[in-house]
Amino acid sequence: MTEDAVRARQGVFFALAAYSFWGFAPIYFKSVQQVPAFEILAHRIIWAFILVFILIVGLKRLNRLKPIIRSPKMMFRLTVATCLLGGNWFLFIWAVNANHMLDASLGYYINPLLNVAIGMAFFQEKMRRLQLFAIGLAIVGVGIQVVTFGSVPWVALALASSFAIYGAIRKRLPVDSISGLWLETTLLVPVMLGYLLFFADSPSADMTANSWQLNVLLMAAGLVTTIPLLCFTAAAQRIRYATLGFFQYIAPSLMFILAVNLYDEPLAESKLITFVIIWSALALYTFDSVIQRQRNRRLKKSAVQEPIS
């Protein structure tokens, strides 16, 4: 195999690992569901901060942080992105432990379509006809649930929109994923430490009174945050970003399976109809992406073969 083929195969492995890890993450959060959601969030941020800092020092990437830290404009944008990310993480943890995993799954199915809409609205990206139809179909799916069944999928919409807007802001910040994650956790660590030290009043808030098993689980929140991000970064370095996008449906699909088959969440008629319509929209979106990639390949091939006059 050529070196490029080896790297591509490694990229596929890392992509599968990242999205599978994210898909199975609810099992971890269920294992600590006796701990309040905000407290789990605090541990996730604190231990991720420590672990990522060790990585940055080991990889000698501290110099990459200076341009961001020295720019008030960039730090403001990063702070806004951090608030969105923190809110997204909290809502996801709460949704999993409050038996709203199906809503979380729906949110991450909606997210790619919302990314396309944001790209058109804010980044002047051109929207193809099938993409527009897919987005319209997703809106119809949510609309049917609201109008016919009187149920607003607010968890799904909040998760999808917060992560899509976060991604749009981070897209414009010249900082890599690992350094960006450390800066984000750095901004949140003082708040989380203050909460654990002065406001948290649950039985698990005092780690000296916890069992060692619970403390290990809480500390593992840093690994749950960091491992899939490292896999995702490794995948992004080895395969095309467009190819990477096809793996993003693994995580919500695993969440859906876990919610229905392992945790017995009820799949109401309203949710099922919405899921079917969103799945149809994603199928159209994926079909359009495949066709466009094949078209681009043919154009590049014909351009290479065309003789120079």
Side-chain angles (χ1 to χ4, degrees):
M1 294 180 68
T2 65
E3 185 178 344
D4 287 343
V6 171
R7 283 180 60 82
R9 176 175 289 186
Q10 291 173 344
V12 169
F13 168 78
F14 283 121
L16 287 171
Y19 285 106
S20 297
F21 205 104
W22 278 320
F24 285 117
I27 296 176
Y28 165 77
F29 293 116
K30 285 285 190 183
S31 72
V32 290
Q33 63 181 342
Q34 71 271 33
V35 179
F38 200 83
E39 198 173 311
I40 298 173
L41 174 67
H43 282 284
R44 182 177 189 178
I45 289 167
I46 291 167
W47 297 112
F49 164 81
I50 294 170
L51 182 58
V52 177
F53 180 72
I54 294 170
L55 283 172
I56 287 175
V57 172
L59 296 171
K60 298 179 181 180
R61 292 187 177 183
L62 283 172
N63 60 317
R64 299 188 182 187
L65 306 175
K66 292 178 182 178
I68 300 292
I69 295 173
R70 290 175 178 175
S71 170
K73 184 178 179 180
M74 288 188 182
M75 283 303 298
F76 173 76
R77 289 163 60 188
L78 186 65
T79 301
V80 174
T82 300
C83 291
L84 288 166
L85 182 64
N88 181 276
W89 281 358
F90 169 74
L91 184 57
F92 179 76
I93 296 168
W94 175 87
V96 168
N97 288 345
N99 299 317
H100 288 286
M101 201 187 301
L102 281 172
D103 292 315
S105 171
L106 180 62
Y108 289 112
Y109 275 127
I110 293 173
N111 181 252
L113 300 173
L114 199 54
N115 286 339
V116 174
I118 287 176
M120 179 187 69
F122 297 100
F123 299 112
Q124 288 77 51
E125 294 178 2
K126 292 183 178 180
M127 189 88 69
R128 295 186 293 275
R129 196 172 295 174
L130 274 180
Q131 289 180 322
L132 278 171
F133 188 76
I135 292 171
L137 197 58
I139 294 171
V140 169
V142 174
I144 288 175
Q145 184 171 339
V146 173
V147 176
T148 306
F149 299 95
S151 171
V152 179
W154 67 270
V155 173
L157 294 175
L159 283 171
S161 58
S162 60
F163 199 70
I165 297 170
Y166 162 78
I169 295 173
R170 286 285 277 110
K171 183 177 180 179
R172 291 293 182 89
L173 287 173
V175 59
D176 62 274
S177 298
I178 297 174
S179 303
L181 177 62
W182 186 74
L183 286 171
E184 288 160 353
T185 54
T186 300
L187 290 169
L188 292 172
V189 156
V191 178
M192 297 300 135
L193 283 174
Y195 168 75
L196 287 180
L197 292 173
F198 302 110
F199 297 101
D201 58 357
S202 72
S204 57
D206 182 4
M207 293 187 72
T208 61
N210 293 339
S211 66
W212 68 267
Q213 293 95 333
L214 178 57
N215 282 337
V216 168
L217 280 172
L218 291 173
M219 293 170 69
L223 294 173
V224 171
T225 302
T226 308
I227 290 175
L229 177 67
L230 292 175
C231 291
F232 177 84
T233 302
Q237 291 171 345
R238 289 167 172 80
I239 58 178
R240 289 162 49 90
Y241 205 76
T243 304
L244 189 60
F246 290 113
F247 292 92
Q248 65 190 327
Y249 308 128
I250 293 174
S253 298
L254 289 173
M255 290 179 206
F256 182 91
I257 293 169
L258 288 174
V260 174
N261 295 296
L262 186 60
Y263 298 113
D264 298 319
E265 283 193 22
L267 184 56
E269 183 183 0
S270 61
K271 284 184 181 177
L272 181 57
I273 291 173
T274 304
F275 267 110
V276 170
I277 294 175
I278 296 297
W279 289 334
S280 301
L282 287 172
L284 278 175
Y285 168 74
T286 304
F287 174 75
D288 177 78
S289 299
V290 171
I291 294 300
Q292 187 61 32
R293 285 185 62 191
Q294 291 177 345
R295 188 176 299 159
N296 290 339
R297 283 179 180 175
R298 285 197 297 268
L299 288 173
K300 286 181 180 179
K301 189 176 180 179
S302 61
V304 171
Q305 293 177 345
E306 185 178 343
I308 300 174
S309 56

